[in-house]
Coordinates of all heavy atoms in Angstrom, one line a residue:
L15 N 46.7 79.8 -294.6 CA 47.5 81.0 -294.8 C 46.7 82.2 -295.0 O 47.0 83.3 -294.5 CB 48.4 80.9 -296.1 CG 49.7 80.2 -296.0 CD1 50.3 80.0 -297.4 CD2 50.6 80.9 -295.1
H16 N 45.5 82.1 -295.6 CA 44.6 83.2 -295.9 C 43.6 83.5 -294.8 O 42.9 84.5 -294.8 CB 43.9 83.1 -297.2 CG 44.9 83.2 -298.4 ND1 45.7 84.2 -298.6 CD2 45.1 82.3 -299.4 CE1 46.4 84.0 -299.7 NE2 46.1 82.8 -300.2
A17 N 43.6 82.6 -293.8 CA 42.6 82.7 -292.7 C 42.9 83.9 -291.8 O 44.1 84.1 -291.5 CB 42.5 81.4 -291.9
R18 N 41.9 84.6 -291.4 CA 42.1 85.7 -290.5 C 42.0 85.2 -289.1 O 41.1 84.4 -288.7 CB 41.0 86.7 -290.7 CG 41.1 87.5 -292.0 CD 40.0 88.4 -292.2 NE 39.8 89.3 -291.1 CZ 38.6 89.8 -290.8 NH1 37.5 89.6 -291.5 NH2 38.5 90.7 -289.8
P19 N 42.8 85.7 -288.2 CA 42.7 85.4 -286.8 C 41.4 85.9 -286.2 O 40.9 87.0 -286.6 CB 43.8 86.1 -286.1 CG 44.7 86.6 -287.2 CD 44.0 86.6 -288.4
K20 N 40.7 85.2 -285.4 CA 39.4 85.6 -284.8 C 39.5 86.9 -284.1 O 38.5 87.7 -284.2 CB 38.9 84.5 -283.9 CG 38.6 83.2 -284.6 CD 37.2 82.8 -284.4 CE 37.0 81.4 -284.9 NZ 36.4 81.4 -286.2
K21 N 40.6 87.2 -283.5 CA 40.7 88.5 -282.8 C 40.7 89.7 -283.7 O 40.5 90.8 -283.3 CB 42.0 88.5 -281.9 CG 43.3 88.6 -282.7 CD 44.5 88.7 -281.7 CE 45.7 88.8 -282.5 NZ 46.9 89.1 -281.7
S22 N 40.9 89.5 -285.0 CA 40.9 90.7 -285.9 C 39.5 91.0 -286.4 O 39.3 92.0 -287.0 CB 41.9 90.4 -287.1 OG 41.3 89.4 -288.0
C23 N 38.6 90.1 -286.2 CA 37.2 90.3 -286.7 C 36.6 91.5 -285.9 O 36.7 91.6 -284.7 CB 36.4 89.1 -286.5 SG 36.9 87.8 -287.6
G24 N 36.0 92.4 -286.6 CA 35.3 93.5 -286.0 C 36.2 94.7 -285.6 O 35.9 95.6 -284.9
R25 N 37.4 94.7 -286.2 CA 38.4 95.7 -285.9 C 38.8 96.5 -287.1 O 38.9 95.9 -288.2 CB 39.6 95.1 -285.2 CG 39.3 94.4 -283.9 CD 40.5 93.8 -283.2 NE 41.4 94.8 -282.8 CZ 42.6 94.6 -282.2 NH1 42.9 93.4 -281.9 NH2 43.4 95.6 -281.9
I26 N 39.0 97.7 -286.9 CA 39.4 98.6 -288.0 C 40.9 99.1 -287.8 O 41.2 99.3 -286.6 CB 38.5 99.8 -288.1 CG1 37.0 99.4 -288.2 CG2 38.9 100.7 -289.3 CD1 36.7 98.5 -289.3
T27 N 41.7 99.1 -288.8 CA 43.1 99.5 -288.7 C 43.5 100.3 -289.8 O 42.8 100.4 -290.9 CB 43.9 98.2 -288.5 OG1 45.2 98.6 -288.2 CG2 44.0 97.4 -289.8
R28 N 44.7 100.9 -289.6 CA 45.3 101.7 -290.7 C 46.8 101.4 -290.7 O 47.4 101.4 -289.7 CB 45.0 103.2 -290.3 CG 45.3 104.2 -291.4 CD 44.9 105.5 -290.9 NE 44.8 106.4 -292.0 CZ 44.5 107.7 -291.9 NH1 44.3 108.2 -290.7 NH2 44.4 108.5 -292.9
N29 N 47.3 101.2 -291.9 CA 48.7 100.9 -292.1 C 49.2 101.6 -293.3 O 48.6 101.4 -294.4 CB 48.9 99.4 -292.1 CG 50.3 99.0 -292.2 OD1 51.2 99.6 -292.9 ND2 50.6 97.8 -291.6
R30 N 50.3 102.3 -293.3 CA 50.7 103.0 -294.4 C 51.1 102.1 -295.6 O 51.2 102.6 -296.7 CB 51.9 103.9 -294.1 CG 53.2 103.2 -293.7 CD 54.3 104.1 -293.3 NE 55.4 103.3 -292.9 CZ 56.6 103.8 -292.9 NH1 56.8 105.1 -293.2 NH2 57.6 103.1 -292.5
N31 N 51.3 100.8 -295.3 CA 51.7 99.9 -296.4 C 50.5 99.1 -296.9 O 50.7 98.2 -297.8 CB 52.7 98.9 -295.9 CG 54.0 99.6 -295.5 OD1 54.5 100.5 -296.2 ND2 54.6 99.2 -294.4
V32 N 49.3 99.4 -296.5 CA 48.1 98.7 -296.9 C 47.1 99.7 -297.4 O 46.7 100.6 -296.7 CB 47.5 97.9 -295.7 CG1 46.2 97.2 -296.2 CG2 48.4 96.9 -295.2
M33 N 46.8 99.6 -298.7 CA 45.7 100.4 -299.3 C 46.0 101.9 -299.2 O 45.1 102.7 -298.9 CB 44.3 100.0 -298.8 CG 43.9 98.6 -299.1 SD 43.8 98.2 -300.9 CE 42.5 99.3 -301.4
R34 N 47.3 102.3 -299.3 CA 47.7 103.7 -299.2 C 47.2 104.4 -298.0 O 46.7 105.5 -298.0 CB 47.1 104.4 -300.5 CG 47.7 103.9 -301.7 CD 47.2 104.7 -302.9 NE 47.8 104.2 -304.1 CZ 47.4 104.4 -305.3 NH1 46.3 105.2 -305.5 NH2 48.0 103.9 -306.3
N35 N 47.3 103.7 -296.9 CA 47.0 104.2 -295.5 C 45.5 104.5 -295.3 O 45.2 105.3 -294.5 CB 47.8 105.5 -295.3 CG 48.1 105.7 -293.8 OD1 48.2 104.8 -293.0 ND2 48.1 107.0 -293.4
S36 N 44.7 103.8 -296.1 CA 43.2 104.0 -295.9 C 42.8 103.1 -294.7 O 43.5 102.1 -294.3 CB 42.5 103.4 -297.1 OG 42.7 104.2 -298.2
W37 N 41.7 103.5 -294.1 CA 41.2 102.7 -293.0 C 40.6 101.4 -293.6 O 39.8 101.5 -294.6 CB 40.1 103.4 -292.3 CG 40.6 104.6 -291.4 CD1 40.5 105.9 -291.7 CD2 41.2 104.5 -290.2 NE1 41.1 106.6 -290.8 CE2 41.6 105.8 -289.8 CE3 41.6 103.4 -289.3 CZ2 42.2 106.1 -288.6 CZ3 42.2 103.7 -288.1 CH2 42.5 105.0 -287.8
V38 N 41.0 100.3 -293.1 CA 40.5 99.0 -293.6 C 40.1 98.1 -292.5 O 40.4 98.3 -291.3 CB 41.6 98.2 -294.4 CG1 42.1 99.0 -295.6 CG2 42.8 97.9 -293.5
V39 N 39.4 97.0 -292.8 CA 39.0 96.0 -291.9 C 40.3 95.2 -291.6 O 41.0 94.8 -292.5 CB 37.9 95.1 -292.4 CG1 37.6 93.9 -291.5 CG2 36.7 95.9 -292.7
E40 N 40.6 95.0 -290.3 CA 41.9 94.4 -289.9 C 42.0 93.0 -290.5 O 41.0 92.2 -290.5 CB 42.0 94.3 -288.4 CG 43.4 93.8 -288.0 CD 43.5 93.9 -286.5 OE1 43.3 95.0 -285.9 OE2 43.9 92.9 -285.9
G41 N 43.1 92.7 -291.1 CA 43.4 91.4 -291.7 C 42.9 91.2 -293.1 O 43.0 90.2 -293.7
T42 N 42.4 92.4 -293.7 CA 42.0 92.4 -295.1 C 42.5 93.6 -295.7 O 43.2 94.4 -295.1 CB 40.4 92.4 -295.2 OG1 40.0 93.7 -294.8 CG2 39.8 91.4 -294.3
R43 N 42.2 93.8 -297.0 CA 42.5 95.0 -297.7 C 41.2 95.7 -298.1 O 41.2 96.4 -299.1 CB 43.3 94.6 -298.9 CG 44.7 94.0 -298.6 CD 45.5 93.6 -299.8 NE 45.9 94.7 -300.6 CZ 47.0 95.4 -300.3 NH1 47.8 95.1 -299.3 NH2 47.4 96.4 -301.1
V44 N 40.1 95.5 -297.4 CA 38.8 96.0 -297.7 C 38.7 97.4 -297.0 O 38.6 97.4 -295.7 CB 37.7 95.1 -297.3 CG1 36.3 95.7 -297.6 CG2 37.9 93.7 -297.9
P45 N 38.6 98.5 -297.7 CA 38.5 99.8 -297.1 C 37.1 100.0 -296.5 O 36.1 99.5 -297.0 CB 38.7 100.8 -298.2 CG 39.2 100.0 -299.4 CD 38.8 98.6 -299.1
T46 N 37.1 100.6 -295.3 CA 35.8 100.9 -294.7 C 34.9 101.8 -295.6 O 33.7 101.7 -295.6 CB 36.0 101.6 -293.3 OG1 36.7 102.8 -293.5 CG2 36.7 100.7 -292.3
A47 N 35.5 102.7 -296.4 CA 34.8 103.5 -297.3 C 34.0 102.7 -298.3 O 32.9 103.0 -298.7 CB 35.7 104.5 -298.0
A48 N 34.6 101.6 -298.8 CA 33.9 100.7 -299.7 C 32.7 100.1 -299.1 O 31.6 100.0 -299.7 CB 34.9 99.6 -300.2
I49 N 32.8 99.7 -297.8 CA 31.7 99.1 -297.1 C 30.6 100.1 -297.0 O 29.4 99.9 -297.2 CB 32.1 98.5 -295.8 CG1 33.1 97.3 -296.0 CG2 30.9 98.1 -295.0 CD1 33.8 96.8 -294.8
R50 N 30.9 101.4 -296.6 CA 30.0 102.5 -296.5 C 29.3 102.7 -297.8 O 28.0 102.9 -297.9 CB 30.6 103.8 -296.0 CG 29.7 104.9 -296.0 CD 30.4 106.2 -295.6 NE 31.6 106.5 -296.3 CZ 31.8 107.0 -297.5 NH1 30.7 107.3 -298.2 NH2 33.0 107.1 -298.1
Q51 N 30.0 102.7 -298.9 CA 29.4 102.9 -300.2 C 28.4 101.8 -300.6 O 27.3 102.1 -301.1 CB 30.5 103.1 -301.3 CG 31.3 104.4 -301.1 CD 32.5 104.4 -302.0 OE1 32.9 103.4 -302.6 NE2 33.2 105.5 -302.1

């Protein structure tokens, strides 16, 4: 259930219902800003 599809690896997405519309790694709730920090 928690496994990410392989096609989502290496992709960045934005969704208004995920992390307040922040840019995140697709299939996760990890913001790109956190990775940069």
Side-chain angles (χ1 to χ4, degrees):
L15 273 175
H16 294 304
R18 290 174 54 206
K20 296 236 186 261
K21 69 178 184 173
S22 72
C23 292
R25 297 180 66 178
I26 307 302
T27 190
R28 192 176 198 180
N29 182 325
R30 67 181 178 162
N31 298 317
V32 178
M33 297 299 292
R34 297 182 179 163
N35 206 32
S36 296
W37 290 103
V38 297
V39 175
E40 188 172 306
T42 73
R43 299 177 67 84
V44 180
T46 58
I49 295 170
R50 176 185 43 82
Q51 290 169 348

